Amino acid sequence: MPGRVSARASTASHLANKPSSQTLNSRRTTTTSPSAIVIPEEGPSSSLRVRICSTFSDAQKSTASHRKLAVSLRKVQETCCHEPSQRHKQTELEYGEDDFNVEMARCVIRLMTVKKSEGAGDRIVRFLTLFLRRASDQDAAAISGIEVEDTQSFPETPSTRLTSHILSILIPFLGSKEKVVRYRATQLVAHIINSLDSVDDDYYHLIRVGLLKRVRDKEPMIRVQAVLGLGRLAGNEGEEEQADPDSDNEDANSLLQTLLEVLQNDPSADVRRSLLLNLPLTPTTLPFLLERARDVDPAIRRALYSRLLPALGDFRHLSLSMREKLLRWGLRDRDENVRKATGKLFRERWIEDCAGRPKGDDGTETEQAAPPSLNGLLELLERIDVVNSAASNGIAPEAMKEFWLGRPDYRDAISFDDTFWDQLTPESIFIARSFNDFCKEGDHGKFEALGEEKMPEVTKLAFFLQRYTNKLVDSIRNNDALSENEQEEDTVEKEFVVEQLLHIAKALDYTDEIGRRKMFALLRETLAIAELPEDITKLVVDVLRGVCGSEREFCGVVLEAVAEVHDNVMTEEPKVEEDESFHSARSALSSETTPTKSKGNEDNSEINETKAIKEIMINMKCLHIAQCMLENVGEDLQQNVHLVTMLNNLVVPAVRSHEAPIRERGLLCLGLCCLLDKALAEENLTLFLHCFTRGHDALQVSALHVLCDILSTHPDLVTADHVDAARQKSVYKIFSKGLKASHTPEVQSVATTALCKLMLTSIIRDEELLKQLVVLFFDPACKENGAITQALSYFLPVFSHSKRENMKMMAAVAAGVVHTQVNLADELDEEEETVGVNVVGNMLVDWTDPRKLVIPGVASAGWDEAGGKGVMGVDGEIHLTLADSLLERALSHGCSREERKVLLSMSGKIYVSPNASTEKLQAITDLFAEAIDAKVAPDATTRNGLNKVHQALTNALGEAGTVQPSIEEQKVGQATIDGPPIPEQGLDVEATKMDVDDDQATQAQDTLLEELLDDEDEDS
């Protein structure tokens, strides 16, 4: 029953007009700001207050009874708002609507000071919004049949007046100085506007302005609540804009743009996640929402795949590139939960969009999962463009692996009968290939029996492969005879079908001798087809390697195919040449004029040019087959006569060829041969160095790859004691030149990656190259080259912390790196951004910290993990070496003020340990004393750092004779002692003095150490 319109004064200002004397003495406030919380005067207790307060008291205990309590509170509201003749109890005649609203507001005000950690506050918020939504729905239903005045766009009901009254109380609290008050006010406002269908226009604009201010609040918890409310407002404004596209609603666009900016740039992951789940899904917001798949927070990425994308609707509305990106980003995410959510989305939601859900009796789709549908799966693969996404580094194989793993119904229902193989499409053959790979590799071979049951045997597969290979070759030959406009368009699809069949053949078991012989004969015949694409040729060679028994047999078969390719094409040349010569001679006899002779010469030149191009293509084809073969062999080159023959008759002439494509491919084959023979590699190393020096960009990249592979396979070429110094210097010079090739980013990135690999394996050890790598890492010009940044971000800390020798090398180049960075910072313009020199210094100190040195099995093993195994002490020499080089540079006359400041700051952060020689400690102590006496420190902070380190060195000198010997003086390995591990005697730079108790404790530890060492000597 609708309530009457109150004749009393507006409740929005009911509390605001009360004098301050009505507040409780215990809660009286002295502030006059609008954000102050004014608790109304309690006054005498009443039955209405008791009933409302008891309801709120029960609601804050548990959410289980909220519905029942909301019904009870609604009855109280109806009793207070109805006409006196309609009231149920005559005892409540004195209570009206305003009294009910005042008591509700009293409870809301008390909620404002409840901290976020209190669960009772959140329960009260949920109860209040539940009550307001229920009351609003009931009032709306009651007035639905009553005619509303035309001038009244927002009909007044008791619930709307109560909502307006509560909002009038909350809006001033949005700007409170207390973060708890701002949080509760923003939270309650957000919940109210999310639970109601409509709000008064006056309060709507006030809420919008207040929440927009809270979006910039310094507290993340407040910003979360603000975006929850603004997301609902943006959704309503977006719907209005779609309903009236001609309207120019700048406020709606401004609100949406603000929220999208917050989504992209807010530092809090909770804020971004709240916006991700609450922004409206429109063509404007969708790109911003989908790019959260690359968010730094894994919870946001997981929410996108598990909540937003399933709620988005049919995935086919997304563009093809966006589908592929979402799959690739999700399935290759570093977080396992994101990968699981992506796999679930693909195999449950996207397949249902293609297969269609079962329909009920009324013709509408039900929520039940659709039965396995081969047509739906084919459409799904078509929607992700399986021809391109199944290629090298494509995402389709990974997606189908997740699909077969999570859909056992499709695994059981799929059937590969003869009809399936007779009409292969790119999508259907990829289903068979992915199913075969899953059965072979998935879950440690658990489904291998299922694969053998459903897949055809080797002989039958060979017949299928032969059929589709013949179709492909015919299509290629027909296209060569036709013009570009008349060529067949399905050649790419036929090529894809043959590739997938070869992938299946590569994973088959060839214990069946009949099937093996059939496959061997087919592959041998296929390899001799000159028109075969290179990708298929490589797969044929890979499969042939698995079919052949030994490498010698494999090489012989491949070289026979190479000779056949060369002979079959070359035998066609004389006939073509003879025919063309005959026609030319006939033309010459028919007319002796000069123009006819000139035309004959032109025809001969065209014939010669065509012949030369065809010869180049033949040689390129033969070299490619040889390259694929060399990638599948591993035995010594000199032990295989077929490889020696190929090297002399095919590779060496190609390297000496005047045609650039043949020469470059010949160099690749020569590099692969060098991996099989050390003497050949040593002989041709100079050739690859010359290729890098004189070659173009692509040849330089190939030369760097070959050099890296050769040095990794034969490290003695540059690391042996008897190695030629000139050769070693030439190799180092090549890598140094590659690091400086900033004009060719690809060459620079390949050189950086190759050098990092060689230095991590200790094949190349050169301080100058290490210095170049460190400087390159901080170089602002390389910021755009992601390959260099990624490689060096991993290499530098791993290189420094993996070995003691590497850390010492890093300490030796630190001063030179700082000097280079200071000069670089002076040369750059003010607009160019670069890494601060102090940041560079801090990272160098961290990379040379001996406490972070990884010693597998020694320093990583503590007492609890390794029983009585002692822990080797920290090497005290490394940071002392660093300090020596830093102070020597700082005390020199050529050091600038800025550089000296950084060097001294680094010196004040070193770690001092007595596990060093006394001479070294004394020398560094004297050097610090000299720096302090010379007053080279530019500020008090640097002077304090130097003094702390000097004091730590002095303390270490006093204990150097009673501690463990230096790491350099210990033998390789680790001493095992009986009893607890020896505590480390290192002194941090922060410890500047020791009291009497600490001295006594140190003496007791030293005495215990001497006893343990004496016991160890006696045992030995």
Side-chain angles (χ1 to χ4, degrees), residues 616 620 654 657-667 696 699:
I616 292 176
M620 291 289 289
S657 174
H658 296 288
E659 302 295 338
I662 297 178
R663 187 168 60 248
E664 292 175 11
R665 183 157 288 183
L667 285 171
H696 50 83
L699 186 59

Side-chain angles (χ1 to χ4, degrees), residues 439-505:
C439 293
K440 297 291 183 182
E441 304 171 2
D443 205 359
H444 307 286
K446 177 181 177 181
F447 304 101
E448 189 169 356
L450 180 64
E452 294 178 356
E453 176 187 348
K454 291 182 177 291
M455 298 300 294
E457 60 272 11
V458 178
T459 306
K460 183 178 290 187
L461 184 68
F463 282 109
F464 295 145
L465 177 60
Q466 184 177 15
R467 179 196 307 172
Y468 287 100
T469 303
N470 293 336
K471 290 183 179 179
L472 172 63
V473 174
D474 293 341
S475 177
I476 293 175
R477 290 173 178 172
N478 292 335
N479 289 341
D480 292 340
L482 298 175
S483 62
E484 184 176 353
N485 296 330
E486 297 176 350
Q487 292 180 355
E488 298 181 15
E489 298 180 355
D490 60 343
T491 305
V492 176
E493 296 182 357
K494 294 178 180 178
E495 181 179 345
F496 181 81
V497 170
V498 176
E499 287 180 2
Q500 303 310 306
L501 285 171
L502 288 170
H503 278 292
I504 296 175

